Each structure stands twice: as C-alpha cells, then as structure tokens.
Amino acid sequence: MKMIIAIIRPSRLEAVKDSLSAIGVEGMTVSEVQGYGRQKGHTEIYRGAEYAISFVPKIKIETVVREAQMESAIEEIKKAAQTGKMGDGKIFVLPVEFAMRIRTEDSNEAAL
Amino acid sequence: MKMIIAIIRPSRLEAVKDSLSAIGVEGMTVSEVQGYGRQKGHTEIYRGAEYAISFVPKIKIETVVREAQMESAIEEIKKAAQTGKMGDGKIFVLPVEFAMRIRTEDSNEAAL
Amino acid sequence: MKMIIAIIRPSRLEAVKDSLSAIGVEGMTVSEVQGYGRQKGHTEIYRGAEYAISFVPKIKIETVVREAQMESAIEEIKKAAQTGKMGDGKIFVLPVEFAMRIRTEDSNEAAL
Amino acid sequence: MKRLFDQMKGRMRLLRACAATGLVVSALLAPAPVFAAVSEETAFVFNTLLFLIGGFLVMWMAAGFCMLEAGLVRSKNVADICLKNISLYSIAGIMYYLIGYRLMYDGVDGGFMGAIGFWSPDDSAALAETGDFSAGYAAASDWFFQMVFVATAASIVSGTMAERVKLVPFLIFTALLTGIIYPIQGAWHWGGGWLSEMGFADFAGSTLVHSVGGWAALTGAIILGARLGKYDAHGRPRAMPGSSLPLATLGTFVLWFGWFGFNGASQLALGSAADSIAISQIFANTNMAAAGGVVTALILTRIIYKKVDLTMSLNGALAGLVAITAEPLTPSIGQAIIIGSIGSALVVFAIPFIDRLKIDDVVGAISVHLVGGIWGTLAVPLTNGDASFLTQLIGVVAIGAFVIVLSTIFWLILKYSIGIRLDEEAETIGSDIAELGLEAYPEFGGGSHKYRGT
Amino acid sequence: MKRLFDQMKGRMRLLRACAATGLVVSALLAPAPVFAAVSEETAFVFNTLLFLIGGFLVMWMAAGFCMLEAGLVRSKNVADICLKNISLYSIAGIMYYLIGYRLMYDGVDGGFMGAIGFWSPDDSAALAETGDFSAGYAAASDWFFQMVFVATAASIVSGTMAERVKLVPFLIFTALLTGIIYPIQGAWHWGGGWLSEMGFADFAGSTLVHSVGGWAALTGAIILGARLGKYDAHGRPRAMPGSSLPLATLGTFVLWFGWFGFNGASQLALGSAADSIAISQIFANTNMAAAGGVVTALILTRIIYKKVDLTMSLNGALAGLVAITAEPLTPSIGQAIIIGSIGSALVVFAIPFIDRLKIDDVVGAISVHLVGGIWGTLAVPLTNGDASFLTQLIGVVAIGAFVIVLSTIFWLILKYSIGIRLDEEAETIGSDIAELGLEAYPEFGGGSHKYRGT
Amino acid sequence: MKRLFDQMKGRMRLLRACAATGLVVSALLAPAPVFAAVSEETAFVFNTLLFLIGGFLVMWMAAGFCMLEAGLVRSKNVADICLKNISLYSIAGIMYYLIGYRLMYDGVDGGFMGAIGFWSPDDSAALAETGDFSAGYAAASDWFFQMVFVATAASIVSGTMAERVKLVPFLIFTALLTGIIYPIQGAWHWGGGWLSEMGFADFAGSTLVHSVGGWAALTGAIILGARLGKYDAHGRPRAMPGSSLPLATLGTFVLWFGWFGFNGASQLALGSAADSIAISQIFANTNMAAAGGVVTALILTRIIYKKVDLTMSLNGALAGLVAITAEPLTPSIGQAIIIGSIGSALVVFAIPFIDRLKIDDVVGAISVHLVGGIWGTLAVPLTNGDASFLTQLIGVVAIGAFVIVLSTIFWLILKYSIGIRLDEEAETIGSDIAELGLEAYPEFGGGSHKYRGT
Ligand SMILES: Nc1ncnc2c1ncn2[C@@H]1O[C@H](COP(=O)(O)OP(=O)(O)O)[C@@H](O)[C@H]1O
Ligand SMILES: Nc1ncnc2c1ncn2[C@@H]1O[C@H](COP(=O)(O)OP(=O)(O)O)[C@@H](O)[C@H]1O
Ligand SMILES: Nc1ncnc2c1ncn2[C@@H]1O[C@H](COP(=O)(O)OP(=O)(O)O)[C@@H](O)[C@H]1O
C-alpha cells in the first residue's frame, strides 16, 4: 500500500475528489495547510505598513491506496489539479506498512 | 520506529489520548482534518437550496513509536476509537528512518 | 528523497522557514497542529471550574528533500527551532518513493 | 375598565417618590405661577415618549441576550441559540398581546389575576374634541413597554438551558411563561394585585422579571439535566468555554445600554421636573451599580483564582444591574455602587456553587438573575423607608413558589409528551446541525465549504 | 420656496390619521381649556426631537445591514462588504446633500421632480424675535431624517450583489441611486408630486425606500450574473452558507431596533397627544409585524424543509418589517401580525424561487425588500379606507418601471465602460484580497500571521 | 455652590449660538405671544431628557471602542482588551463620582480646578413647592452625561497600548486619568476656568476629551515601547493585522451612532426651538463630517496604496467625527464635510508616520484622536467668529503640556514600581492566556476543546 500525499490548490479539491472517487478510491483525508514554494506570497500594504504574506493556502489530500491503484490515482489527481500556473502543487508517495479499519478490524488492503 | 497515523472521530480523541498515555506513549501530534469515506456526508437544505456536505470532521493523530510499542499502541487506539458505526476511521503505519528531539538533540528511539 | 516532518513552536516558524530557504530548500508545507508531550498543558480556572488544556499549539512543517540535502536541512531546522525549553519539538524523517510537480509533471528530484 | 386598572397602576405609582399624575395634578392646583408648569397634553406626550424610548431600549436587550448567549455557548450551538432568542422575543410579544397584558393589568383589583382576552388600545378620551389627557400616556406606548419586559424574562431561560434543550418544547415553554406564568405573578404587584396591596416594592422587576426568569431557568435546568461531559467521572464540573468572548462582551454592553430604558422608563412618567429628576437619578444609579459589579468581580476573581475572569466580570456587571432594578431611585450613587457590588460578589460565589450542585447553567443566568434579583429585592428597605423587609420576603417567596410550581408542571408535561432533551448523538454533533441543519460558522472547523475554491 | 414644499408635505400628512400641524392648529383654535394643550414652540421641539431620535435609529440600521451582509457572505468577502456598507452610507449622505434633497422636496408641486442644487437649512422664522413656529420642526432635523432613509435604499443593493461586483462601479451606482433615482421617485409621493396628488399611500417607504432598493438590486443582479459555482452543471442552485450566523442575527436585531425610528418618526410629528398616540400604535404594530414574520418563517421552514431555517427566520422578521412599513398606523395589532406573517410567507417562497430563476441574491434582499415592499404597499387599502388598491398598484408599477429603466441604463453604462464584475481569479480568491488586499479574519484559514509567535 | 458653577457653565454656553437658559429667559421677557413659548418646567424636562438621551448614546460608545479594539488586536489579545474596556468604563464612572466631577465643576471660578469630594445631586429648588426651574435640568442628568465623556477619554488609551501593557497598571492609570488628569484640564474650560475666561472654544471635546486621551496614549506608548516583532531587523514597521474586521467595522458604526449624543447633547439644552434647531444642525454636521472622512480615506488610500484600505476608512470616519467635535454647530454642512475630510486626510498620513517614528499605536488612536482633535480645535475660528486662532492654540498647547507631564509622571511611577509591560513570554503567548487564563475564541486555533466531541 502507498500513501499518496497531494498538495493542491483549494479550488481544485472538489474536482480531485470527484475524479478519485470515479476510479474507485473510496477514502481520503483532507486538511488545510499553508504552502511555501515558487509561487511566492505577496506583499500588501496595511495601514501604510508592509505586510508580507509568505504562505499560500493549499489543501493537502492523504489517501492510502493499493499498489495497483497508485498509477491511476496519481494520474487522476494530476489531471484534476493542473492549471499550468505556478502553485499547482506536488504529489508525493510514501510506503505504508500496515492499515486497519477501526470499525471492523480489517487489515491492510481490506481496510482501504 | 514507526509512525502510526490514526484517523478517528473527534469525540474519541480524549479516550485515545488517555489510553495511549497509559501504555507509555508519551508524545503525539494531533490535527483537525476532513474525511471522505463510506460514512457519507449529507445533503442539507439552506434557504431552499441544496447544500452537500461531502466531508466529515475527523481528527488525525500522528505518533512515532518504538517498534516494540507498535502493536499495543494500535490495539489501544482501536479499542478506544471503536464505536462500531461507519466512520470510525483508519490506522496506518509508516516507516520512520530517523527521529530527533530538537531540545536535546537526542536521536531516534531516545527522541520519542 | 526524504520527507522531513518537523513539529516546532509556532514562534519559530519564520526562523525555520528562513534558514531552510537559505540552504536552498525551496518548498515546504505547513500546518497547525496540537501537540501532546512532556511539555504539559495547564489547568486553568474558568468561571470557578477547572479547565484542562492538555494540548499545546504547535506547527508541523513537511518538506521533501533530496537525500543530499537532508542532513543540512535537519541541522538548520534544529538550530532555528531550539530554545532549550521543554516543548521544542521533534524532527522525523520518512522515506519518499515518488514525487511529482503537478504543473510540469516533472518527477522525483526534479519535482522538489 | 381601562380606567380601573389605570387606577390600580396609579396606586402603585404613588408608592414611588415622584408620581407623575400626582405631580401634574398638584401643579395644576398649586398657586405656583401657572405658566411655569408642564401642560397636561405636554405631560402626556412626555410620558408616552418615555415609554417609547424605554421600550426600544429594552427591545434592544433581546439582541444583548442573544449575543451574550451566542458568545458563551460552543460553536456547534451558536446558530440554535440565535434562533431561540429571536423566536422567543417574537413569541413573547404575540402571547402578551393574545392573553398576557390583560391577564396582568385588566381588573386585577387587589386580586390574583386580570381578565382573559386580546388587548387593544383605547385612547378615546385623549383623542376627543375636548381632549382629556388624564390617562397620562398613550395606551399602546405602555403596552409596548410592558411587552418588552416579558421578553426579557424569557431570554433568561434560553441561556441556562442552552446546548441541550430541544427547540420546539423550549418555544412552547416560552409561550406558557410569557402568556401565563409571567402575567399572573405580574398582576400581583404591577397589576395592582394582592402584593401591591401589601406594599411590596419592586420598581423595575428584580423579582417580577429577573427572578421569574431565574426560577423558570432553575426548574428547567434541574429537570433537563447537565450537558454531556459537563461533569467528569468524579462528578467535578468541567469548564466548557464559550465560542466568542467578544460577542459575549458585546452582549453585556447591549444589556447595560438597554437597562437605562428598563429602569429609567419604569418611572412611568417624564411629564414633570420631578419625574425627570427621578429618572436622572435612576440612570446614574443603574450605571453605577453595574460599574460596582464589574470592579467587584474583577477584584474578587483576581484574589480567589489569581487570574481576572472576563466572563465573571461580565456577569458581575449584569448582577449589579439586576440588583439595582428593584429600587434604582432611592439609593444615593454611593449606595447604588454598594448594592451592585454585593450583587456581583454573590454571583461570583453562586456560579461555582450552582455548578457544584450539578445544576448546569450555561451562561450563569440563574446566578445573575435569580440570586441578583433576590438580593436586589431584599435590599429595597435599606434605602426606601416605605418598603418592609418582611413584605419583600413574602413577595420573593410567593412569586418563587408560584413560578417553580408552574414551571415544574409545564416542563414535566413537555418532558413526558414530546421530550425536552436532544438525544446523545444530536447533543454531541451540536444543536445547530441537529435542529437547524446548518452551522453558525460553516467555514471554520467543519463542513467542506471553506475548502471550496468557489 | 421652503414654505411651498412644506405645504406639499402638509398635504400628504393630512392623509394620515393624525396630522401634526393640523392638530396643533386646531388645538389653538378650539375652545378647549388652552392651558391643557401643547404650546407651539413645545410642539416644535417635540417634532424636531422625533426626527432626531428617528434619525439616529435609522442611521444605526446602516450597521444592521452591514452586519447582516457580513454574516451572510463568505469569509473571503467580509471585509469588502463592510467597506461597501460604510462607504455607501457616506456617499448617500453626500449625494443627498449635493442634489438629492432639493430634487425630492423643493417645488415638486404635483409634478415629477424638484429643484437642483445644494441644500441648506432655513429656520429664520422660528429664530426670529417674534418666533413663528409654524414650520413645525427644525429644517436640519427633517433633512437628517430624510437622509438616513436614502442610505437604507442603497444598503439593499450591496447585499444582493455581494461577492462579485467591483467596488468602484458599485460606489458609482450608489451615488446615482441616492442622488438621482431615489430622490426623483421620492418626489412623486413624499415630495408632493403626481402620485401624492393621486392619493397614493406609502407611510414610511415600503415602496419608496424598500422596493426601490429591491428593484435596483434585481436589475443589478440580472446584469451582473450569478456567482461562480452558484449553479451546478445541471443548473441547480447550490447553497453558499455565510460566514457567521451570529453576526447575521445581530444585524437583524439592529434593523428591527432601528425600524422603530423608521416607521415611528415617519409620523413626522410628536407635538400633540394625538401624534404620540399614533406613534405608539406604530411602534406596537412594527414590532408585531416582525414578530409575526419570525414565527411564520419558523413554522413554514419546519413544515417544508423539516428543519427550522435560521436565516429564513431572520429574513422573515425583515419581511414583516418591510410589509408593515407602508401602513404601520391604521392596522390593529392583530392585523399587523397578519400583514407581517404574509410578508414573511411570501419571502419564504420567493427566496428559492428567485434562486431558481438564476438570479443570485446573496442575502435575500430582493425577496425581503421588493416582494415584501410590494405586498405591504398593496395591503394598505385593507386597513386604511383612504387608500385605493388601484392607486397603490399604479404607484408600485410606476416607481418599479422608473427604477428598472434608470438602473438598467446606469448598470449597462458601467458594465461597458469600467466593467462591473470581478474577474474569475479575483472572485475565486475573494474580493477582500482582490480589492482591499487584506482579509477580514487574517488569522484564520489564510495568511501566515496566526502561525507567527509574535 | 451649585449655583456658582451653573453660572460658570452658563457663561460658556453664552459663547454658543443658542444658549438654552438665555433663550428661555428671553422668551419669558419677550412681548411675544406667551402661549407660544415653552414653559419653564417643560424646558427643564426637555433639557434633562437631552442629557439622558445623549448620555446613553455616549455610554454606548464604550461598546464601540471595545468592538473596534477587539477587531484590531490579534486573537490572542481579544479577551484582554474586552476586559480592559468594560473595566475602564466602570472605573471612570466611579472615579468621576468620587472626585472627578467636583474637581471639574465645583467652584472653579476662572481658576485651575474645583473642589475635592464626592458628588451628590441637589435638585431642591426644582422640587420645592413653588418649583424653581432655573437650574435648567436635573443635576444627575448632567452628571451622567459628563461621566460618560470621561470614559471616552480613557477608552482611547486602551487601544493604543493594547497587546503588551499589563492589566493592573493600565487600570491604575485609568483611575488617575479619569479622577485627576481629565477633570483638572476639563475645569479649565468646561468648568469655567481660565481657558474659558480667555474665550477658548471646544464645543464637545476635540481637545478636552479626544486630545486628552490621545496625549495620554502617546505618552504611554512611548514609555511602554512597541510590541515584539512590530519592527523588523531594519527597523521597518511590520503590519500586524487585527483579528476581525467586521467587529472593527461594527465598533466604528457604534461610535458614529453614539457621536450624535456626544455632540448633539453638548448643546446642553433642548428646551427651546432655537436649541432644537442648533442640535439638528449638529446632528447633520456630525454625520457629514464622518461621511466626508470615509470618502476621503477611501480615495486617498486608493491613490497612495492602490488598494482601498478598510481600516483606514474606519479611522477616517472617526477622524471626521473627532474633527467636527470642537465646533459642530457653526459650520454649514458643506464646511462640515470639508472639516471631516481634512481630519481624515491628516490621519491617513499620520498613521504610517507615527508608525515610522517607532511609536506603536495598535488601533491608530493617537492619529485619530490627537491629530484629529488638534485639527478640529484649530479649525474652530474658520467657522465661528467668536473664537480666535491664538486662543485655540493656547488651549491645545496648555492642555497638551499638562496631560503629557502628568501622564509621564504616572506612567513612570507605575513602570518603576509594579512594572507596566508583560514579559516577553506572556506577550508571545498573548495577554489573554497570560493575564486572564483563557482565550477569546477558545475553540479556534488553540486549546483542545474544539476537538472534544462533548
Ligand atoms: N519540497 C516540498 N516539500 C513539501 N511541500 C512542497 C515542496 N515543494 C512545494 N511544496 C508544496 O507545493 C506547493 C506548490 O509549490 P510551488 O513551488 O509554489 O509551485 P509548483 O508546484 O507549481 O512549482 C507549495 O505551496 C507547497 O505547499
Ligand atoms: N484510503 C484512505 N486513505 C486515507 N484516509 C482514509 C482512507 N479511507 C478512509 N479514510 C479516512 O477514514 C475516515 C473513515 O472512513 P469511512 O470509510 O467513512 O468509515 P470506516 O472507516 O468505518 O469504513 C474517512 O472519513 C477518512 O478520513
Ligand atoms: N512520539 C511522538 N510522535 C509524534 N509527535 C510527537 C512525539 N513526541 C512529541 N511529539 C510532538 O513534539 C512536541 C514537543 O514534545 P515535548 O515532549 O512536549 O517536548 P520536547 O520535544 O522538548 O521533549 C509535542 O507537543 C508533540 O507535538
């Protein structure tokens, strides 16, 4: 099993969720994060003083998938999240050694 | 060392924390997340228009434990978090290659 | 590639970001978390009743770096985040198997 | 009929230092330079204006209760408490129109209650060709002013029982409280009933309004039980901090502001210099009792808990206001500060005490309105020679007993018919989602909407 | 000249049950005991005071609209809507001073509009040695009171068009609405123009203020188009819940509170017992129409949607208030409750209906102010025998047509010159960042400042 | 004694266009038809009513300052600023009762200060059988009105010094400011002291209230130092955006609303047509100065910073209000707009300027109240022929010097005794946790309570 971590634009969340769901990825966990990268924040003026916003709001999606689903999941995320402008985000894949569904105590692939 | 990632119901956090603490897991990091899974969100009516809540509030616990503690930690989390109804959440285990306590610069198991 | 996860004090974020940036770590993702560890929360009195704050606000930084950068990144985070008082936080390193920049579809080290 | 209960009210009013009609009349009869006085019609306009200003100020207190309670409940119950507050204000007005006002004021005549029926104004005397202004004020202005008081009593209950009581039974209870309980006991004193005959003195409602709300809240809280998780395994109360202290502070300021209408316009007349002097004293005293309440809570919480407690200080302000309400006219400013301070001190101790009795009062309303109201009522004889301690006590006990009995009956009927408490799951996810299907702050901490780019 | 339009207003006022000047004059002529009456100068002070109190209450409604709208838009547009509200209130006042007031009141004389030019007060008669108080009130008090009404009309537009209209064109439209559209149609009735000659009756502005704002909002919303994401792929409306329901509730309470000034002081005189009686009735009716509106929305949403809808109940209160505004004096309290309830019921159905027409009204202002305003205006003949249904209809249609035509022209000019809509990216990140470069709640959910230890 | 300082006040009042007592008296003496005038007792009631209405409006400004400041500080300091605001309002009232009022008004007689001692009302003349109403108003109504002004001055300080000053020394300073500094300088002009003899003109307190608060805040800010992190390594100011712009906007609206009482009731009399005309002009001017301030800030920030700045626009409204306060009566509406606009423009430049001087003024209070207040005071001679530029300057400088000296002494004593600044750790975690042990929004971004299911 792999954990796919995708950092995306907030406005792409619905699209990514729908396309993952369409290929049978049935679970994911989402959180609000702040990103720092090439897409720079900007400097605003507030009451005449500078105001540097160095972080940009992003969404982080974590989903653990079967090895077999991994490729297509990455592909779907990429397609749904891409706008071509700086700040589209990243996809990372990490190994997962064990998974359990708390409700049923099913393990590993059965737990996803 | 392993990182145990548990996605649980918000109402179970105190119980999980207490039982982990009881078996000597001394540190953990918690965040608010939104989950998508079998427990579906619901459709509400707001001012006469539909309002789909597709995500459900969940809590994510991350705790890095010694190999030896892993089994019992998973067991404790499961026991404390289980209600038997859809949406109880998942436990994932990921490998950790290195750990450090920033304050003391202790490494690996000594850092936990 | 490795994912460095650092749990730090909120007040150290700017410093850590700046020093990582100085050694060429160009991207990171930050989130607000609540920590539980040796630095205990405290008990307050609110309207005459006890009020236990068991979690302490922390910041989690996740950054995926090239193997080569790892050591220096850890060193920089440690230096910038250390105050010597309980609650300085932890650094964890996890293996990353794949990375992609969504915008360009660059993979692995090119994606960072 | 109208005449009759005007007489009743006249009688009560005479107990006060400066009775409006009385003075106008005496001004007319007096040998003093006639030109200097207020004309009858002018007095009529002044008195009416007082009711209108007082009325809109007290109406605004509904917003104050709403903000105070919204700030002191947890986010998951904020929308629900907002709905309860705007609804109870509305229901109170409708019930008071349908049966409350006449039950309270129409033909009580030393007895226990008035007549049954809708109310409608009769200003024919003043509107006649040969205008007779002896009624003293426009009928609807008085009705409006009395109506907003009823709503205040109902507001008290919503705060105590928040976060777990179901919406519909709560609103039904509100209708019963404002249509039946409040007007009947109100008839005893303000309506010219038996308590007023005895010489009971409650200027603006420490007992008639605040304690009544407090007793109803207390009864309700006991029958309803505490919130889930309010008491730990050892039965110790756990703090459940409210969602927004600035909203709670705003609510307190709104109430303080509105209280000038509450107490000031309870003078019931502005149409003479003497009345305007009385109202000025009332304004000053009302303000200073609240000020004393704040400072006392500040100091006491600092001493007892080492940290100054903001919400206790807010409650302290309100306790001072409730305490001075029974007699805002006769105390000197210094006495008003002391009366407010004692009210506040009582509340600082009452809140944890009631908490430990396992009576779960979310916003501290029982302490503020009931404890503060009893103290204020019993303190009247200290500054007002016309009041007796015994009569005050009789009034407090009689009204308390009446409200407890009726509230218990009503709450129990509701409990065993439609049920009054949210089920455990509903309470856990919060009354907002459970009862209204929405959240007060849908973008924060729940729901998916914050994440949507659109 | 001043005299002239005072006469005009006098004529209108005579339509009302209790005309101030009329009564004062008759009191002077009547054989009734002279001493009992209100002196001319006293009446002058009373009338002026009424305008001042009414004026500050209505001014406060600007805060109510601001909070209501701030609560009902999403967080990313909250600062922008706050800015729009405080700016439109300011611009409305300036425009009304520069051209609006005289366009509306100066020499309309049965026609279509008044004179052009700055306004300045002339109280020389009252200030003369031999004080002549027949003007009835201080000129500036009337100006102040009329001015705050204009701002109300403009506030309605901001809510409907929120979250996507650009700041500068919105403010330009505000200036045109408050300097030209509002005063001209206002001249037709309140200025003593042709509609007033016909006998059209709109006591405090169901049509002249609320519908005018509503028509302008409707026109604007159609030309502007819906928010991104408001309609899904199948054209079904999607709910976009607002950022803070307690703020929306607070705003509603503020509006309700301010409405006592809006309707009450529209009696235009307090200087006699008859006027004070009328105002008292207006206060009671205003309150009870809103109360009826709340309860109706409560019940209807419970029946239709199974869950009580808080924001609909808030809209219900406002609908009740708008509905009673055309005639708050002649209904009995029971009739007022019914008029408000029907207004509220119409709004409960109008909101989803307008939504389905793909007219995106962020806060429901079109339903509340336009639908409610039309209903209120048409309902006048039900309780006021002097009004005719046909004339009411003519007024509604004439003013509607006029506002639609001018608003369309103005919006289209703005659209094809500087553009009226934020571009897609700006709308997505929110008007706060896009137009103001800051966030309403910079520490939550965006920006890095919450994380900073400092 | 009372008589004496009433004379003093009478003397000042005569400087104004329409002196109450004066007119009433002349009305009595004049050959004009006696019946037309306001009777003495009626005037007494009107004047008293004006103070009461003005008083509750100004009291409400305390809520405005509280919301403004709560919105402009960061979340971690919100509860603390709420506590400071409600406490300072309370302490101001108590101090003014204990020593302030008599120090300011009792027997100043052209000198530097009045008597020492508690205040209590004496209305015996008006209450006597042969009512003598020449005092003009109820004593307590005047006290109430003067008292709320003191609180305003104190509110200014809390905003500037927020987020780092310790609670207890702040409250001690408040007591000193309201009990000593404010009343003594107030005696110089309003108390009939030397400045009033010279012909200094400050109608409602641009200098006496706003600049005094501003000077005290300035002194305090310098002695206290800037917040941690306010200046970067290069000494450049960093923006620290406030927690909630809708609350800040609400606070501004509250202040604007309350200012009608602040300026309007400073006419000190309503008992004649002339007074009511004056107050009407004051209302219109007050409103339009604020409107001008908003529009000016809007335009200027758009030009200078490319983006419209909401908080600057709020400050602009307040600057307009402060500027018109020294003379709200004599300007025409057009002049009022200009006076307000200039005040606002000054503030738009003053805020970043003061920032660059490393004086850390969290909410911009120094710019608004001090800069705006000086401008307003110096602008009086532009529209009021009785005032001279030189005397105005003397007044500004004298009061400025006095407040600076005393404030410096008091702040330094506090600094070197109990300390005035939070330690670094306390400031970092925020004054809410450090001083009150709780959070303003405990469920968001901190604490564990949001996560708890219960
Ligand atoms: N090395 C990294 N580790 C973790 N997160 C990263 C890393 N690089 C980028 N990110 C995340 O991805 C987001 C987008 O990256 P950015 O460099 O701005 O644009 P792009 O991905 O288009 O090159 C960042 O805001 C950050 O949240
Ligand atoms: N494959 C997955 N990867 C990451 N998180 C998941 C995954 N599946 C489920 N989750 C998380 O677990 C939560 C509970 O899962 P759900 O399917 O609703 O119920 P259950 O675990 O009882 O089957 C989800 O809300 C989501 O946060
Ligand atoms: N085993 C762990 N797994 C995950 N997070 C941890 C672990 N131990 C500590 N943390 C995080 O690190 C933070 C600091 O740890 P703590 O024990 O309080 O202090 P210190 O790191 O100085 O010993 C905690 O608040 C928690 O967020």
Side-chain angles (χ1 to χ4, degrees), chain B residues 3 25-30 62-65 100-104 111-112, chain C residues 7-9 33-40 56-58 84-90 92:
Chain B
M3 175 176 280
V25 173
E26 277 155 21
M28 69 191 81
T29 298
V30 164
E62 292 168 300
T63 178
V64 176
V65 297
M100 176 192 276
R101 183 192 311 278
I102 293 175
R103 171 167 49 97
T104 56
L112 303 182
Chain C
I7 319 287
I8 61 168
R9 293 180 191 277
V33 296
Q34 301 286 325
Y36 179 82
R38 290 174 203 213
Q39 179 198 14
K40 289 296 170 227
V56 184
K58 298 280 170 198
K85 274 178 283 179
M86 236 184 245
D88 274 355
K90 303 277 188 280
F92 302 120

Side-chain angles (χ1 to χ4, degrees), chain D residues 288-418:
Chain D
M288 299 312 290
V294 170
V295 172
T296 302
L298 213 66
I299 294 172
L300 281 182
T301 56
R302 177 88 182 197
I303 293 173
I304 305 175
Y305 304 124
K306 304 291 171 299
K307 303 236 170 177
V308 172
D309 190 317
L310 170 59
T311 65
M312 282 279 199
S313 302
L314 302 179
N315 283 157
L318 300 178
L321 291 163
V322 171
I324 201 68
T325 292
E327 184 48 275
L329 179 56
T330 53
S332 69
I333 291 188
Q335 291 171 325
I337 296 175
I338 293 169
I339 291 169
S341 296
I342 295 177
S344 172
L346 290 171
V347 164
V348 168
F349 293 105
I351 286 177
F353 178 73
I354 288 177
D355 224 13
R356 244 156 264 149
L357 292 180
K358 306 234 169 131
I359 298 168
D360 183 11
D361 177 2
V362 179
V363 304
I366 298 172
S367 304
V368 167
H369 298 277
L370 179 55
V371 176
I374 292 175
W375 155 243
T377 307
L378 297 183
V380 175
L382 303 181
T383 64
N384 181 343
D386 293 336
S388 93
F389 184 77
L390 186 68
T391 316
Q392 296 302 94
L393 197 65
I394 292 175
V396 166
V397 171
I399 289 179
F402 174 75
V403 178
I404 290 173
V405 170
L406 254 74
S407 295
T408 304
I409 294 173
F410 291 153
W411 279 124
L412 287 179
I413 293 177
L414 288 167
K415 179 168 177 172
Y416 294 111
S417 54
I418 57 177

Side-chain angles (χ1 to χ4, degrees), chain D residues 27 32 35-39 42 46 49 53 56-57 60 73-76 228-229 238-247 249-250 252-254 256-257 260 270-274 276-277 279-281 283-284 287-288 290-292 294-295 298 302 307-311 313-314 317 333-334 337 428 441 444-445, chain F residues 28 34 37-42 44-46 48-49 52-53 56-57 59-60 62-63 66-67 70 78-79 82-83 85-87 89-91 93-94 97 119 121 123 126-127 129-130 133 138 140-141 143-144 147 167-168 171 247 250 257 433-444 449-450 452-454:
Chain D
F35 178 70
V38 178
S39 85
T42 299
F46 271 130
L49 181 62
I53 294 177
F56 71 63
L57 289 175
W60 183 226
V73 301
R74 289 165 295 167
S75 297
K76 63 184 180 181
L228 292 176
R238 284 206 292 206
M240 294 178 153
S243 54
S244 171
L245 296 192
L247 280 195
T249 307
L250 175 64
T252 304
F253 271 117
V254 171
W256 191 328
F257 177 72
F260 295 113
L270 170 69
S272 70
S276 76
I277 290 167
I279 297 171
S280 302
Q281 184 72 36
F283 267 55
N287 189 74
M288 299 312 290
V294 170
V295 172
L298 213 66
R302 177 88 182 197
K307 303 236 170 177
V308 172
D309 190 317
L310 170 59
T311 65
S313 302
L314 302 179
I333 291 188
I337 296 175
T428 303
Y441 304 101
F444 298 135
Chain F
L28 288 173
V34 166
V38 177
S39 85
E40 264 196 49
E41 187 175 2
T42 299
F44 187 100
V45 176
F46 270 131
T48 299
L49 180 61
L52 296 179
I53 294 177
F56 71 63
L57 289 175
M59 177 269 158
W60 183 226
C66 182
M67 291 299 107
V78 167
C82 287
L83 181 75
N85 271 279
I86 201 164
S87 304
Y89 177 77
S90 302
I91 290 172
I94 293 176
Y97 160 67
W119 174 82
D123 293 297
L127 291 171
E129 272 298 286
T130 55
F133 306 116
S141 70
W143 183 82
F144 178 64
M147 180 270 297
L167 183 62
V168 172
L171 294 180
L247 279 194
L250 175 64
F257 176 72
I433 292 279
E435 297 255 50
L436 313 185
L438 48 72
E439 293 159 89
Y441 304 101
E443 296 172 309
F444 298 134
H449 284 263
K450 195 179 182 187
R452 274 207 198 146
T454 50

